[in-house]
Amino acid sequence: LVVANGSLARLGAQPLLRASALLGIVVAFPLAGMVLLGMEHILHVLLTIGFAAVAVETLTNPPESPRLVRRRTLALCVLGALLGASRYEGFFLVGLACLAFLVRRQVPRAVSIGAAALLPVVAFGVFSVANGSYFLPNPLMVKAVGETASMASALLKPFGSEDLAFLQNNRAMPILLGLGLLGALAHALARRGFWRPPVLFPLALAAMILLHGHFVFSPLFWVYRYDAYLVAFGIFVAAVVRSDGFRRRG
């Protein structure tokens, strides 16, 4: 909540809007239930918001001093490594950020962040293969492709009926997906600019929803804990979209 509030404040969200977003995260995540579960999902949301905020700030407001450039790159490397290690779904956001940096012609930064994020996974994979198992965790692969699991089938899944079923079975996801795309489009057309937080945040949310539904590393389950991070991040993104552009128009 502290990280989300600080990030929204830097993005220009007013106090009432920040309070509404934080309350929404508490209720809809739901934060109290996740505390009682005692698992990694709150950490995943924390790292998702923290990494996304630093990445978008760097993409839209490039630092001028070399020292600040190094500090932000180091922060993204550390956050990316922790995000990917907390849950493998974190690589959706890390990959999107690296792609955006490549488009912005910041190749060294993109490569550094991607390599740092992959390091814990590669270390685990090497250890796992050395002990006779898969490179990716066994439960992850079984959830993604069933008992005939292989790393190739898990990573190279074709798009099909499962993608549509994910959106049909979880009514929050198509709502967030549609509002994210509409919010990004509205802000892009209003200001005629792409590299702005109210455009990048909802586009990242929409892409993360589609990637999560496609790979199904964590299918729907009780308390929807596996995809709850998308709801929490979606509330954060809604506050970002609301904080800029339309505020002056009511």
Side-chain angles (χ1 to χ4, degrees):
L1 293 176
V2 170
V3 170
N5 181 66
S7 300
L8 289 173
R10 289 197 303 274
L11 292 164
Q14 298 301 307
L16 181 60
L17 178 59
R18 300 203 305 269
S20 301
L22 299 181
L23 181 61
I25 292 174
V26 170
V27 173
F29 180 49
L31 190 57
M34 295 299 175
V35 169
L36 296 176
L37 281 177
M39 299 182 73
E40 76 280 2
H41 304 287
I42 299 175
L43 173 64
H44 186 199
V45 172
L46 167 67
L47 294 169
T48 296
I49 293 175
F51 179 87
V54 177
V56 171
E57 184 177 359
T58 304
L59 286 163
T60 57
N61 185 25
E64 297 179 357
S65 68
R67 182 178 180 183
L68 187 54
V69 170
R70 290 192 295 268
R71 285 179 59 184
R72 283 194 185 175
T73 302
L74 178 61
L76 287 170
C77 288
V78 173
L79 289 171
L82 293 173
L83 178 57
S86 67
R87 288 198 70 81
Y88 279 66
E89 289 86 346
F91 281 105
F92 301 150
L93 179 56
V94 173
L96 292 169
C98 291
L99 179 61
F101 283 119
L102 288 175
V103 173
R104 296 286 270 178
R105 298 181 181 178
Q106 300 181 29
V107 178
R109 176 175 279 158
V111 173
S112 299
I113 296 169
L118 286 172
L119 185 60
V121 174
V122 171
F124 171 84
V126 170
F127 178 81
S128 180
V129 171
N131 285 272
S133 190
Y134 295 115
F135 185 85
L136 296 176
N138 294 355
L140 183 150
M141 296 179 62
V142 170
K143 291 172 185 174
V145 290
E147 295 182 0
T148 59
S150 71
M151 192 169 75
S153 58
L155 297 178
L156 302 176
K157 288 178 59 181
F159 285 88
S161 58
E162 289 184 357
D163 299 83
L164 182 60
F166 171 76
L167 297 175
Q168 291 176 333
N169 294 333
N170 189 342
R171 285 177 287 180
M173 292 300 108
I175 293 173
L176 288 173
L177 177 63
L179 291 179
L181 292 175
L182 287 174
L185 178 63
H187 273 284
L189 293 176
R191 296 288 186 85
R192 295 186 179 181
F194 180 83
W195 297 102
R196 298 172 47 246
V199 177
L200 294 180
F201 272 110
L203 285 181
L205 171 66
M208 289 164 63
I209 291 173
L210 292 175
L211 290 169
H212 182 102
H214 174 64
F215 287 102
V216 200
F217 285 159
S218 345
L220 294 174
F221 196 57
W222 62 288
V223 199
Y224 69 97
R225 58 189 174 93
Y226 287 131
D227 49 337
Y229 76 101
L230 294 170
V231 175
F233 187 57
I235 294 171
F236 175 87
V237 170
V240 174
V241 172
R242 183 64 183 84
S243 66
D244 180 83
F246 299 119
R247 185 171 63 241
R248 303 187 200 92
R249 306 177 189 179

